[in-house]
């Protein structure tokens, strides 16, 4: 360890000395303002006025990388940002983008991290890399994005916007189907993006034989198989999965107590999914049976349904004496529609026959 420490300190001293002229320049705001978007002009200006060569610019990259490895993420992020304004090497600049994103994630600067994520995404999409390299970069970007999206206040929208893009959805299906867990969770807890649920379920069905977990199986049970018993079992497994997942099981301290906001929100919305689906195919629902399907006590289920009917303005009422929920007939069912169409068809046929008979008699005459 002593030998390793000596080696590290010697390396640090060497890089500091090599990058010192450029670092000194970058620490002067007045001089930094003289830099232009034209990188060739900047290189020429630095060489003519400050005797700063390309070797020292490259040393700044190595110095920033060394600072990152030593845990100085703030300094590394600043140096990488400045390096990108001077670097003419496309691949080095691309690596610096990854490093800047990593530094912002580790410093938990989530707003800045979102900006760096979008900048890196645009670079990946515009680079003329082979398809396999693009697939790898998009896969890594989605994995790194989980740190941001499950900590940023608008993360649940951000993850849907990114993962639902065709190129990134293809990358999930080809290279990382396990990311469907987080994609599905984001859609379940996001009431405003419920319209994407149908497309998500199609993808889950396509990848069923490649990947499945309690969250994806819960959606399959509910919307593909209409298996309420299976959905009830998977909901219990979902709760256990969320508690043990690094991203989904994030704990927050409120009033001296540790809570898991995402778990509570997920269970609330999942129960709503079960209730809505069950109500679509039943007109009179036993609260006792429904409480079992929602994994709740009878009293909790009754209060939950009352609040849901009040807040969502559902056409339903509770019969406390019979212990049932009676759904209103907002829309005619399929059988009623067929009967109504048949009645109309009979009337139209009679009228048509009546109109044809006089015309036939006139022709014969």
């Amino acid at each position: 360890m002593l030998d390793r420490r000596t080696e590290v300190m010697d390396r640090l001293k060497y890089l500091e000395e090599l990058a010192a002229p450029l670092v000194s320049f970058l620490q002067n705001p007045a001089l930094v303002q003289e830099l232009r978007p034209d990188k060739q002009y900047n290189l020429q200006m630095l060489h003519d006025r400050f005797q700063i060569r390309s070797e020292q610019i490259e040393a700044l990259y190595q110095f920033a990388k060394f600072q990152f490895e030593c845990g100085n993420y703030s300094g590394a992020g600043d140096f990488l940002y400045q390096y990108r304004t001077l670097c003419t090497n496309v691949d080095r600049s691309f690596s610096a983008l990854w490093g800047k994103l990593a530094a912002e994630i580790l410093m938990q600067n989530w707003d800045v991290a979102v900006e760096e994520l979008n900048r890196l995404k645009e670079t990946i999409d515009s680079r003329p890399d082979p398809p396999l390299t693009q697939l790898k970069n998009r896969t890594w970007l989605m994995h790194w994005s989980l740190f941001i999206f499950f900590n940023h206040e608008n993360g649940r929208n951000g993850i849907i916007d990114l993962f639902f893009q065709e190129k990134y959805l293809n990358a999930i299906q080809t290279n990382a189907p396990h990311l469907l867990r987080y994609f599905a969770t984001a859609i379940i807890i996001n009431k405003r993006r419920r319209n994407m649920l149908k497309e998500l379920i199609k993808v889950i069905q396509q990848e069923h034989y490649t990947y499945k977990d309690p969250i994806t199986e819960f959606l399959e049970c509910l919307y593909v198989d209409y298996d309420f018993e299976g959905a009830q079992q998977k909901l219990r497994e979902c709760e256990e999965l969320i508690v043990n997942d690094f991203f989904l099981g994030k704990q927050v301290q409120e009033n001296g107590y540790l809570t898991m906001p995402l778990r509570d929100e997920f269970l609330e919305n999942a129960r709503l999914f079960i209730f809505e689906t069950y109500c679509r195919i039943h007109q009179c629902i036993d609260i006792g049976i429904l409480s079992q399907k929602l994994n709740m006590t009878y009293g909790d289920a009754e209060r939950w349904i009352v609040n849901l009917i009040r807040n969502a303005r559902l056409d339903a009422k509770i019969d406390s004496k019979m212990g049932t929920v009676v759904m209103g007939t907002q829309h005619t069912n399929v059988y009623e529609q067929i009967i109504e169409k048949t009645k109309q068809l009979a009337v139209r046929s009679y009228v048509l026959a009546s109109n044809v008979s006089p015309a036939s008699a006139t022709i014969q005459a």
Side-chain angles (χ1 to χ4, degrees), residues 9-32:
M9 295 305 296
D10 290 343
R11 175 70 174 169
L12 176 61
K13 184 177 180 181
Y14 169 76
L15 291 174
E16 280 182 337
E17 292 176 354
L18 191 59
L22 183 54
V23 172
S24 177
F25 171 87
L26 295 173
Q27 289 175 345
N28 189 327
L31 295 177
V32 171

Side-chain angles (χ1 to χ4, degrees), residues 222-360:
L222 196 58
Y223 291 104
V224 179
D225 303 327
Y226 295 97
D227 179 4
F228 293 99
E229 297 297 331
Q232 174 189 350
Q233 175 62 32
K234 292 303 174 184
L235 187 57
R236 285 194 289 265
E237 295 178 15
C238 287
E239 183 174 8
E240 182 179 355
L241 181 148
I242 291 172
V243 169
N244 293 287
D245 187 277
F246 178 83
F247 297 104
L248 305 181
K250 180 184 176 183
Q251 296 183 342
V252 176
Q253 189 166 7
E254 295 180 359
N255 301 323
Y257 295 96
L258 286 175
T259 62
M260 287 186 184
L262 194 144
R263 177 195 60 184
D264 299 337
E265 198 169 356
F266 179 91
L267 293 177
E268 175 71 16
N269 283 280
R271 286 168 178 157
L272 179 59
F273 281 10
I274 294 175
F275 181 78
E276 289 177 344
T277 307
Y278 198 78
C279 289
R280 285 195 191 104
I281 57 178
H282 295 85
Q283 188 171 1
C284 185
I285 305 162
D286 186 280
I287 296 177
I289 296 175
L290 190 60
S291 65
Q292 295 176 5
K293 298 188 182 302
L294 297 174
N295 292 334
M296 302 170 74
T297 65
Y298 184 93
D300 290 341
E302 186 175 19
R303 285 190 293 272
W304 185 80
I305 294 169
V306 168
N307 291 330
L308 181 64
I309 292 173
R310 182 186 301 118
N311 296 332
R313 297 180 180 178
L314 295 175
D315 184 10
K317 60 182 180 179
I318 292 181
D319 187 338
S320 300
K321 185 177 180 180
M322 300 298 294
T324 58
V325 180
V326 181
M327 303 302 300
T329 55
Q330 297 177 339
H331 305 284
T332 57
N333 60 35
V334 176
Y335 304 107
E336 291 174 345
Q337 292 177 14
I338 293 174
I339 293 171
E340 189 64 27
K341 291 286 186 182
T342 305
K343 289 180 179 178
Q344 294 176 3
L345 183 61
V347 172
R348 291 172 62 186
S349 300
Y350 175 78
V351 172
L352 183 61
S354 300
N355 293 334
V356 169
S357 297
S360 299

Side-chain angles (χ1 to χ4, degrees), residues 168-183:
Y168 289 84
L169 190 58
N170 289 338
I172 291 174
Q173 294 182 267
T174 305
N175 207 31
H178 51 273
L179 292 177
L180 286 173
R181 169 188 297 184
Y182 305 103
F183 192 15

